[in-house]
Amino acid sequence: MGKSYERIDGRLRAFIEAQHIFFTATAPLDGEGTVNLSPKGLTGSFAVIDELTVAYLDFAGSNAETIAHLRENGRITLMWCAFDGPPAIVRVHGRGEPVFRDDPRWAGLMRYFPDIDPSRHGLRAIIVVTAEKIRDTCGYAVPFMTYEGDRPLHGSRFERETDESLDAYFLKKEHVTTSIDGLPGLPLPLPPLPRTT
């Protein structure tokens, strides 16, 4: 029932871009380490860069497991499910990299997210994923669910933060600079958020 694809284009790309939520899965190399699974949303925070590359914005939060795992080994899987319309699940297995604020690629990548105000959500990295395997499956057991809108809470919580206060917030959290398993997480202090033109 599942099918493999060479690239993210056509119907597959349209399906991915239409979803309001996706999930990321990463793990450390240590077989006893903690597998991390995270939901990602916020309209406009995901982009298909080309037929084998996708990216999403990594916002402020109380953990940085994905960043830590990607810094250690780069392995990541992204998954989208159809909660309305025809049933489908799409997975992109690949290699990911966190691009931090002081990376020269930052400005070019931010152009793929024109509807996001980076100052509102404590933006700390752009996760760039290169697909190595692209597959879909039926999704027959995924329930119907209705999208009502993005929650405003993340933006209202973090839009009042400065780069300095974000650093202080992250330093208070147990698993931002270091993962649950002791891997290096988000490098601090955060470089200043680059100005957008």
Side-chain angles (χ1 to χ4, degrees):
M1 297 179 70
K3 182 178 175 184
S4 294
Y5 298 85
E6 295 293 321
R7 58 189 57 84
I8 303 166
D9 62 4
R11 179 188 60 80
L12 201 63
R13 178 174 180 158
F15 172 78
I16 287 172
E17 292 179 332
Q19 303 314 304
H20 299 287
I21 185 172
F22 65 98
F23 301 87
T24 66
T26 59
L29 292 176
D30 182 350
E32 300 298 315
T34 306
V35 175
N36 186 64
L37 177 65
S38 294
K40 303 293 180 186
L42 192 59
T43 301
S45 65
F46 173 83
V48 177
I49 306 296
D50 61 39
E51 294 177 335
L52 290 175
T53 313
V54 299
Y56 69 89
L57 302 179
D58 179 79
F59 298 116
S62 56
N63 292 296
E65 297 302 301
T66 301
I67 285 175
H69 296 160
L70 293 180
R71 290 182 71 192
E72 185 206 33
N73 62 64
R75 297 178 306 162
I76 189 168
T77 297
L78 309 180
M79 185 186 79
W80 296 261
C81 308
F83 293 110
D84 59 14
I89 298 171
V90 173
R91 290 179 181 87
V92 170
H93 307 267
R95 296 281 164 183
E97 174 190 10
V99 174
F100 298 114
R101 294 169 164 200
D102 55 352
D103 190 297
R105 296 170 291 173
W106 182 275
L109 288 167
M110 279 305 298
R111 287 197 285 270
Y112 289 96
F113 308 97
D115 298 329
I116 296 292
D117 176 354
S119 66
R120 286 200 67 224
H121 296 277
L123 181 57
R124 54 192 193 178
I126 303 167
I127 306 298
V128 179
V129 177
T130 302
E132 295 179 336
K133 186 182 294 186
I134 305 160
R135 291 197 41 87
D136 70 357
T137 51
C138 67
Y140 291 168
V142 175
F144 283 114
M145 293 171 36
T146 304
Y147 171 74
E148 295 181 12
D150 290 346
R151 292 179 191 262
L153 297 173
H154 195 275
S156 64
R157 162 61 184 90
F158 287 103
E159 68 185 347
R160 61 183 180 249
E161 300 286 356
T162 64
D163 290 337
E164 294 76 21
S165 65
L166 268 177
D167 278 341
Y169 169 82
F170 292 142
L171 286 169
K172 285 189 241 173
K173 300 297 178 184
E174 186 178 5
H175 299 299
V176 171
T177 60
T178 305
S179 78
I180 292 170
D181 300 309
L183 296 172
L186 183 68
L188 292 178
L190 283 175
L193 190 62
R195 289 183 173 269
T196 55
T197 55

